[in-house]
């Protein structure tokens, strides 16, 4: 008798019959520190969805690679080990079997935005909606694109002339376009997950990195990088992903509450990022440990010359999205 009871219990459990009522927990894993823009936006989403669902949907925020890191968060969400992540657009190649079909790498092209003000052209941009329909397989659904401003070049040594870039070991996010950019500077690209960057700077296995000021400050890079040049040379955005099976199995009430919170969060996120990146510059200067400097004309000339080798890396599909996106900014 006992054996049948256990078997029946196992069958019922697997059918979710014993599952609690329709209370839902969203585990949200990300790789940056508390209070960075991405973390603040997760917390915003958490408060909104718990409000709109009357507490039936809860969010557990796992910052700073505390649950999963750059190397395993994409497989974690595909396998349902977490319900949401927001990796940077440079890391979306894992979502595509055909990497040449990944439109999000166009955001790695330098100077896609001339200044932070131009980032507003991404809000409700129809090209973004078209891009989201290309995400295939991996059991995830894209529910938003968040912004974290423009990347600045930091270094442990002064970079005044073009020759100062030669041979510098520069940490990059893992994209073929980022690699082509850094090589065109005469520097040496180093693909590292975000959680490894601070120690790589500390032990000098990298000389430089490229981050928005909010991440630079949030991860205390001012302790291990003496210079920060306001190059604004490329963009950092995030793909907000949800596990498809989780999404499809939500009750209509919980899905409506989550969707309402998603829509509102996507409206608020850009403002959170632009304010954080602005304040971070003052906070970095206040540490007295990193000199925040305008880049020299010579360095900016090298950076602008990297647009062509980066564009040359685009596939025909990516080039098509790139042109559409630039046209949409006009
Ligand atoms: C990075 O790897 O530099 C960024 O993707 C970190 C972040 O903001 O997610």
């Amino acid at each position: 008798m006992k054996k049948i009871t256990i078997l029946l219990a196992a069958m019922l459990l697997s059918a979710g019959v014993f599952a609690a009522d329709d209370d839902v927990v969203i585990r949200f894993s990300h790789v940056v520190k508390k209070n960075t823009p991405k973390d603040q936006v997760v917390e915003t989403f958490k408060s909104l969805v718990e409000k709109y669902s009357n507490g039936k949907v809860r969010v557990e925020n796992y910052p700073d690679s505390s649950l999963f890191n750059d190397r395993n968060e994409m497989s974690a969400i595909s396998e349902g080990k977490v319900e949401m992540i927001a990796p940077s657009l440079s890391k979306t190649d894992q979502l595509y079997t055909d990497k040449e079909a990944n439109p999000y790498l166009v955001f790695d092209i330098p100077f896609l935005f001339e200044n932070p003000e131009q980032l507003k052209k991404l809000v409700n941009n129809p090209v973004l909606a078209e891009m989201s329909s290309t995400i295939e397989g991996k059991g995830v659904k894209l529910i938003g694109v968040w912004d974290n401003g423009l990347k600045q070049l930091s270094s442990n040594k002064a970079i005044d002339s073009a020759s100062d870039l030669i041979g510098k070991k520069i940490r990059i996010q893992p994209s073929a376009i980022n690699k082509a950019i850094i090589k065109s500077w005469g520097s040496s690209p180093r693909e590292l997950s975000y959680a490894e960057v601070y120690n790589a700077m500390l032990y000098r296995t990298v000389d430089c990195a490229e981050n928005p000021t909010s991440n630079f400050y949030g991860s205390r890079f001012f302790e291990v990088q003496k210079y920060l040049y306001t190059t604004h040379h490329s963009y950092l955005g995030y793909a907000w992903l949800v596990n498809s099976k989780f999404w499809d199995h939500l009750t209509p009430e919980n899905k409506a509450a989550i969707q309402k919170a998603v829509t509102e969060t996507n409206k608020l996120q850009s403002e959170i990022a632009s304010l954080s990146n602005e304040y971070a510059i003052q906070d970095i200067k206040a540490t007295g440990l990193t000199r925040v400097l305008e880049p020299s004309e010579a360095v900016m000339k090298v950076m602008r010359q990297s647009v062509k080798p980066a564009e040359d890396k685009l596939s025909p599909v990516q080039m098509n999205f790139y042109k559409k996106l630039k046209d949409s900014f006009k």
Side-chain angles (χ1 to χ4, degrees), residues 31-32 38 70 88 91 171 173 194 211 215 236 238:
V31 299
V32 285
K38 184 177 344 189
D70 278 332
S88 74
K91 301 171 186 172
R171 183 270 172 169
Q173 297 183 51
Y194 191 68
N211 294 286
N215 276 357
L236 176 60
Y238 302 122

Side-chain angles (χ1 to χ4, degrees), residues 89-252:
L89 298 175
S90 297
K91 301 171 186 172
T92 49
D93 252 3
Q94 301 169 64
L95 293 174
Y96 292 83
T97 37
D98 173 10
K99 311 297 177 195
E100 296 195 350
N102 178 2
Y104 293 104
L105 290 196
V106 306
F107 287 100
D108 284 344
I109 302 291
F111 304 107
L112 183 62
F113 304 97
E114 279 305 320
N115 53 58
E117 196 51 35
Q118 283 196 340
L119 295 174
K120 292 189 169 61
K121 297 176 184 234
L122 279 181
V123 180
N124 300 326
N125 189 307
V127 181
L128 281 183
E130 198 182 336
M131 285 180 169
S132 67
S133 63
T134 66
I135 287 192
E136 53 169 33
K138 293 288 176 200
V140 296
K141 175 181 159 71
L142 184 121
I143 52 177
V145 172
W146 295 351
D147 171 22
N148 193 7
L150 299 179
K151 293 189 284 193
Q152 320 298 338
L153 177 68
S154 67
S155 178
N156 54 23
K157 295 192 185 79
I159 295 188
D160 301 318
S161 65
S163 59
D164 290 334
L165 283 168
I166 305 296
K168 284 285 186 301
K169 301 186 294 286
I170 302 184
R171 183 270 172 169
I172 59 167
Q173 297 183 51
S175 97
I177 292 179
N178 288 338
K179 208 178 278 181
I181 294 165
I182 300 306
K183 285 184 172 173
S184 76
W185 296 356
S187 312
S188 175
R190 290 284 188 279
E191 286 187 8
L192 292 173
S193 65
Y194 191 68
E196 298 169 302
V197 177
Y198 183 94
N199 281 344
M201 291 169 171
L202 179 67
Y203 298 113
R204 301 289 173 106
T205 48
V206 299
D207 302 306
C208 309
E210 45 179 10
N211 294 286
T213 51
S214 56
N215 276 357
F216 183 92
Y217 183 73
S219 291
R220 303 182 67 82
F221 292 156
F222 50 81
E223 293 170 349
V224 285
Q225 295 272 271
K226 289 193 173 58
Y227 299 89
L228 182 70
Y229 295 93
T230 52
T231 50
H232 298 310
H233 64 279
S234 64
Y235 175 69
L236 176 60
Y238 302 122
W240 186 7
L241 302 173
V242 63
N243 173 279
S244 300
K245 202 175 282 180
F246 163 78
W247 185 264
D248 295 342
H249 286 82
L250 288 166
T251 63

Side-chain angles (χ1 to χ4, degrees), residues 231-301:
T231 50
H232 298 310
H233 64 279
S234 64
Y235 175 69
L236 176 60
Y238 302 122
W240 186 7
L241 302 173
V242 63
N243 173 279
S244 300
K245 202 175 282 180
F246 163 78
W247 185 264
D248 295 342
H249 286 82
L250 288 166
T251 63
E253 298 73 25
N254 285 340
K255 186 176 283 189
I258 293 173
Q259 186 57 66
K260 186 176 178 188
V262 164
T263 303
E264 201 162 324
T265 302
N266 284 333
K267 282 187 191 134
L268 295 168
Q269 54 79 27
S270 189
E271 189 61 19
I272 290 171
S274 62
L275 285 174
S276 296
N277 281 308
E278 222 174 285
Y279 293 147
I281 289 194
Q282 305 316 322
D283 294 338
I284 295 162
K285 287 177 179 173
T287 67
L289 297 173
T290 297
R291 295 181 62 193
V292 179
L293 302 168
E294 285 286 315
S296 68
E297 262 314 300
V299 166
M300 286 309 287
K301 186 170 173 229

